[in-house]
Amino acid sequence: MARIGFVGLGNMGAPMARNLVKAGHDVAVFDLSSEAMTRVEGARPAASGAEAARGAEFVITMLPAGKHVREAWLGTGGLAAAMGPDAVLLDCSTIDVATAREVAAALPRPFLDAPVSGGVMGAEAGTLTFMVGGPAEAFARAEPILRTMGRTIVHCGEAGAGQAAKACNNMLLAISMIGTCEAFVLAEKLGLSHQALFEVASKSSGQCWSLNTYCPVPGPVPASPANRDYRPGFAAALMVKDLGLAQQAAGETGAATPMGARALELYRRFVEEGGAETDFSGIIRMLRGGRESA
Ligand code: NAD
């Protein structure tokens, strides 16, 4: 059993903290929202983030964005002031690589950036994927804790490498989803059935996760969000956030990512036109709008 401080009990943080409690850990929790504080039965409510972190062996944050993470760890009265001498610090939020590196460098204890994929369902089921950046020794200590919340845990390298892996993966996902949608839109115009395209492409060189597992038209893959009116899944608004982080990283490093930039433009438009809460595969509806609208 470990003593754990957990800060940020939103859609993702609350079920993750519940899995830590279920595994028998002693968990102290804090969220700015008093309603969120009621979401983790069996945890000890703390009056502040610093109180949740006091004496903890592991301190975990799950917050909206980089500015919240910087403030929570480095701000006045923040977590850094309160943690124990041997604590391992983890941030599981999805934030920009530069802030993850800045926070890691500023803290006196080992800090791991450990963003996740798998969404709320993965957080509830304890099947998240963790992409982790930071010192190998801290990773080795944290891995059993991460394993109570996730199934696939990958040490990606030094500070920021977890966020880098998340940004690269999700940029690739957005591009492959748009490409998959475009193939179905063209097939429709050519009178080729969804099923026929799926049967050929899912076994040929066009195969990818967006097609084979998360098919953006109803029928070929019964479990995909297309079969339930594009209820998420992974909401388009979150894809816009992740693509923005990838473009920020590309700008900071001088990487050429023209398809990533275009994917961000298209997903932004989809969100502005009302698609924010729609699954990201629902962008096929906008792409059907025709040449000039894309
Ligand atoms: P959320 O908005 O539901 O929850 C964030 C929580 O943090 C809120 O309860 C808020 O009150 C709390 N908070 C903000 N600042 C705080 C502070 N200083 N101290 C204490 N509490 C504070 O967000 P979420 O959906 O749980 O996502 C959390 C992170 O996980 C984000 O970075 C998101 O990009 C990432 N993520 C989300 C999903 C998803 O499907 N929701 C999937 C993968 C990754």
Side-chain angles (χ1 to χ4, degrees), residues 200-218:
V200 171
S202 68
K203 293 182 185 66
S204 309
S205 44
Q207 64 184 279
C208 62
W209 186 87
S210 295
L211 174 69
N212 288 38
T213 309
Y214 213 83
C215 189
V217 294

Side-chain angles (χ1 to χ4, degrees), residues 5-285:
F6 200 108
V7 177
L9 306 170
N11 294 324
M12 295 292 288
M16 289 166 71
R18 279 199 292 271
N19 281 329
L20 292 171
V21 170
K22 230 185 279 168
H25 295 298
D26 172 11
V27 184
V29 293
F30 177 69
D31 193 290
L32 290 176
S33 143
S34 48
E35 187 276 318
M37 288 290 284
T38 65
R39 291 181 186 156
V40 188
E41 209 180 312
R44 287 182 290 117
S48 65
E51 190 186 308
R54 195 158 297 128
E57 297 154 79
F58 298 92
V59 182
I60 302 174
T61 48
M62 190 52 164
L63 301 170
K67 63 179 181 197
H68 307 95
V69 172
R70 187 190 290 106
E71 176 60 25
W73 284 102
L74 307 179
T76 333
L79 303 173
M83 63 218 172
D86 298 321
V88 174
L89 319 175
L90 298 103
D91 175 47
C92 296
S93 328
T94 302
I95 67 169
D96 59 292
V97 176
T99 300
R101 288 187 175 146
E102 176 200 327
V103 172
L107 287 169
R109 312 262 182 277
F111 176 83
L112 300 169
D113 51 293
V116 303
S117 77
V120 175
M121 276 167 64
E124 281 166 357
T127 56
L128 292 169
T129 294
F130 284 89
M131 298 147 254
V132 189
E137 197 196 330
F139 174 76
R141 280 183 60 202
E143 195 183 357
I145 302 297
L146 296 178
R147 210 157 276 293
T148 62
M149 300 181 283
R151 192 156 50 195
T152 306
I153 325 286
V154 182
H155 187 216
C156 300
E158 288 307 313
Q163 299 295 350
K166 170 101 186 172
C168 293
N169 179 73
N170 281 19
M171 183 180 77
L172 176 57
L173 172 62
I175 293 168
S176 78
M177 179 54 79
I178 291 170
T180 303
C181 291
E182 286 185 2
F184 278 108
V185 169
L186 179 59
E188 288 165 4
K189 295 284 187 202
L190 294 171
L192 176 66
S193 76
H194 291 162
Q195 191 60 33
L197 174 61
F198 180 82
E199 278 175 30
V200 171
S202 68
K203 293 182 185 66
S204 309
S205 44
Q207 64 184 279
C208 62
W209 186 87
S210 295
L211 174 69
N212 288 38
T213 309
Y214 213 83
C215 189
V217 294
V221 178
S224 76
N227 298 280
R228 40 172 214 270
D229 201 27
Y230 300 97
R231 265 183 288 115
F234 184 49
L238 288 172
M239 182 54 96
V240 167
K241 174 190 171 181
D242 292 357
L243 284 168
L245 293 174
Q247 284 308 294
Q248 183 182 338
E252 285 163 1
T253 56
T257 54
M259 299 291 280
R262 184 73 177 121
L264 175 57
E265 274 172 32
L266 289 169
Y267 271 108
R268 260 197 193 132
R269 224 188 75 213
F270 182 54
V271 162
E272 280 161 14
E273 290 176 5
E277 301 306 321
T278 306
D279 185 78
F280 80 111
S281 60
I283 198 167
I284 192 168
R285 289 176 165 165

